[in-house]
Amino acid sequence: MSKMTAKVPVSVLIPALNEELNLPACLESVARADEIFVVDSQSSDRSIEISKQYGANVVQFHFNGRWPKKKNWSLENLPFRNEWVLIVDCDERITPELWDEIEQAIKDKNFNGYYLNRKVFFLGKWIRYGGKYPDWNLRLFRHKLGRYENLNTEDIPNTGDNEVHEHVILQGNVGYLKEDMLHIDFRDIYHWLQRHNRYSNWEARVYYNLLAGQDDNGTIGANLFGDAVQRKRFLKKIWVRLPFKPLLRFVLFYFIRLGFLDGQAGYIYGRLLSQYEYQIGVKLYELRQFGGQLNVNTNPQMTDSKTNSEPVKVKL
C-alpha cells in the first residue's frame, strides 16, 4: 500500500445534525483515517445515508438536556480502536498535507495533543484578517487524556446538544501543527444566521457567568501569559464589561485588525459579527432581568385572569 493510501492510525470524530451538504467533502477529506465515527442527532436529511456510503460508523446521540454534550459523551462512550482521536466538524476539511503532518506528529511520544490552525472561508473567500487567522483549536489528542471543559451553559435552551466554543482540557504537553485545516461551509447565509442565533444564547450565558464571577474550575482557565486560547479567555473577561460592544467589535475586526483587506466579504463578515454581538447583548440583558433565565414567568402560580391583566413583576 502506498504512502498516499495508507491509513493513519487515528480515529476521527464528526458531530453531525442535518449536514448532507457538508458531509461528502468532509468525509472525503478524512478518508486516510483508520476509523471514522459520525455522531448524529437524529438527522432528518440524508446525513446518515451519506455517512454510511463513505464507510463511517454512525452512532446516534440523544441529548438529555444536561452535561455531557455530544463531544464529551463520544469521548467517554465510543469504542475507539486508536489511541489518537481527531475531532472534525462537518464544515471542516483535512488537507493531504495536514494528514502527512498528523501521521508524523502522533509518533512523537513527547506530546499528548496538537493544536490545529483553521482557515475560515466566508462567501467563497478566505477571511485572512480581522483576527480570524490564526485560529488555533486543540483537535488532535490522545482520547483518554482529553475532555472538553464545562462552562455551565446547558441550562439555557436552544444552545444545541454539541459543544459550541468549549475547549479541550488535556493532560501533558501540547504542540502546534504547521499545516492548516479548512473551514468551508457549503450552506448559505440563512444557515450562518440560524447557527449564530443559537450560538448567541450560549455566548450570553458565558457572559452572564463571567459577570457573576464564576470560578474557572473545570475550564481551561484564563491566563494572560498562557497559550493563545487562555489569553483569549483572559481578554474575554475584560471584554464582557465594556460598553458599546457591537460597535467595538466591528471597529476591532474591520479597522484595527485590518478586516477591510478581505474586501466585500470582510465587510459583510464584520457587520454580521457586530450584529451577533448585539444579539448576545440583548440576550444577556434578558438573562439579567429574569434571574439567569430567558424570559420566564417567575410567578407560575398566577391565575389566568391575573396573568392577562397585570404585568409580571421582575426583581431588578
Side-chain angles (χ1 to χ4, degrees), residues 115 136 176 223 226-233:
Y115 280 101
W136 294 105
Y176 291 79
N223 186 352
D227 60 31
V229 178
Q230 289 174 319
R231 288 195 300 272
K232 189 174 182 179
R233 184 66 56 80

Side-chain angles (χ1 to χ4, degrees), residues 15 24 40 59 67 77 81 107 111 174 293 296 311:
D40 183 67
V59 178
W67 191 259
N77 292 281
R81 67 175 175 235
K107 297 176 183 177
F111 293 96
V174 181
Q293 298 297 320
V296 294

Side-chain angles (χ1 to χ4, degrees), residues 6-289:
K7 295 294 184 179
V8 180
V10 167
S11 296
V12 169
L13 166 60
I14 304 174
L17 171 60
N18 293 330
E19 289 280 2
E20 63 179 2
L21 296 179
N22 282 315
L23 270 170
C26 177
L27 289 165
E28 286 177 10
S29 80
V30 298
R32 282 180 63 181
D34 172 66
E35 180 179 51
I36 303 170
F37 283 96
V38 173
V39 183
D40 183 67
S41 298
Q42 301 81 60
S43 290
S44 58
D45 64 1
R46 298 180 58 248
S47 293
I48 298 174
E49 177 186 346
I50 292 170
S51 299
K52 291 181 177 178
Q53 286 175 352
Y54 281 86
N57 302 294
V58 178
V59 178
Q60 288 297 328
F61 173 65
H62 297 269
F63 186 45
N64 61 8
R66 300 184 297 276
W67 191 259
K69 288 193 173 184
K70 186 183 291 185
K71 292 175 185 175
N72 260 5
W73 178 89
S74 300
L75 290 169
E76 289 285 350
N77 292 281
L78 295 184
F80 299 118
R81 67 175 175 235
N82 298 290
E83 182 182 19
W84 288 83
V85 65
L86 173 64
I87 298 180
V88 182
D89 290 337
C90 292
D91 53 9
E92 295 172 341
R93 321 282 179 254
I94 307 299
T95 66
E97 295 79 12
L98 181 52
W99 270 120
D100 290 340
E101 189 175 10
I102 289 172
E103 187 173 18
Q104 296 305 312
I106 60 175
K107 297 176 183 177
D108 191 334
K109 297 185 182 300
N110 295 314
F111 293 96
N112 290 334
Y114 294 93
Y115 280 101
L116 276 62
N117 196 9
R118 294 197 308 176
K119 280 185 176 179
V120 175
F121 288 79
F122 179 75
L123 294 176
K125 181 178 178 59
W126 172 26
I127 304 300
R128 184 174 182 176
Y129 300 97
K132 294 302 295 181
Y133 186 86
D135 181 21
W136 294 105
N137 290 264
L138 182 54
R139 299 294 194 85
L140 176 67
F141 54 94
R142 301 181 198 271
H143 68 84
K144 292 183 179 180
L145 302 179
R147 293 294 182 269
Y148 279 84
E149 62 183 344
N150 184 358
L151 295 177
N152 296 303
T153 60
E154 60 272 12
D155 61 329
I156 297 301
N158 301 315
T159 60
D161 66 353
N162 192 28
E163 290 83 352
V164 180
H165 297 136
E166 288 92 342
H167 294 279
V168 173
I169 302 173
L170 185 70
Q171 304 172 37
N173 294 328
V174 181
Y176 291 79
L177 299 186
K178 295 179 181 178
E179 297 292 337
D180 296 327
M181 112 176 128
L182 310 180
H183 182 285
I184 307 173
D185 194 341
F186 288 166
R187 297 173 300 179
D188 55 24
I189 295 296
Y190 171 88
H191 288 93
W192 192 99
L193 293 169
Q194 183 185 54
R195 185 169 69 249
H196 282 76
N197 184 32
R198 177 164 50 84
Y199 289 175
S200 60
N201 274 22
W202 182 91
E203 290 276 14
R205 183 63 189 190
V206 171
Y207 280 25
Y208 183 89
N209 290 344
L210 288 173
L211 290 170
Q214 178 178 291
D215 62 43
D216 291 333
N217 290 335
T219 76
I220 60 167
N223 186 352
L224 180 60
F225 304 103
D227 60 31
V229 178
Q230 289 174 319
R231 288 195 300 272
K232 189 174 182 179
R233 184 66 56 80
F234 176 86
L235 294 173
K236 195 165 195 172
K237 287 190 171 186
I238 299 173
W239 173 260
V240 298
R241 292 171 169 82
L242 296 178
F244 311 116
K245 284 190 285 294
L247 174 62
L248 287 175
R249 187 150 191 183
F250 179 77
V251 170
L252 184 64
F253 175 90
Y254 196 68
F255 294 107
I256 297 176
R257 293 181 170 175
L258 308 180
F260 63 87
L261 293 177
D262 285 320
Q264 184 70 8
Y267 176 75
I268 294 172
Y269 199 88
R271 288 293 302 270
L272 287 175
L273 287 180
S274 177
Q275 175 183 313
Y276 175 55
E277 193 66 50
Y278 181 74
Q279 285 181 265
I280 297 169
V282 171
K283 292 176 180 179
L284 174 61
Y285 175 80
E286 185 180 22
L287 285 172
R288 299 180 82 171
Q289 288 294 99

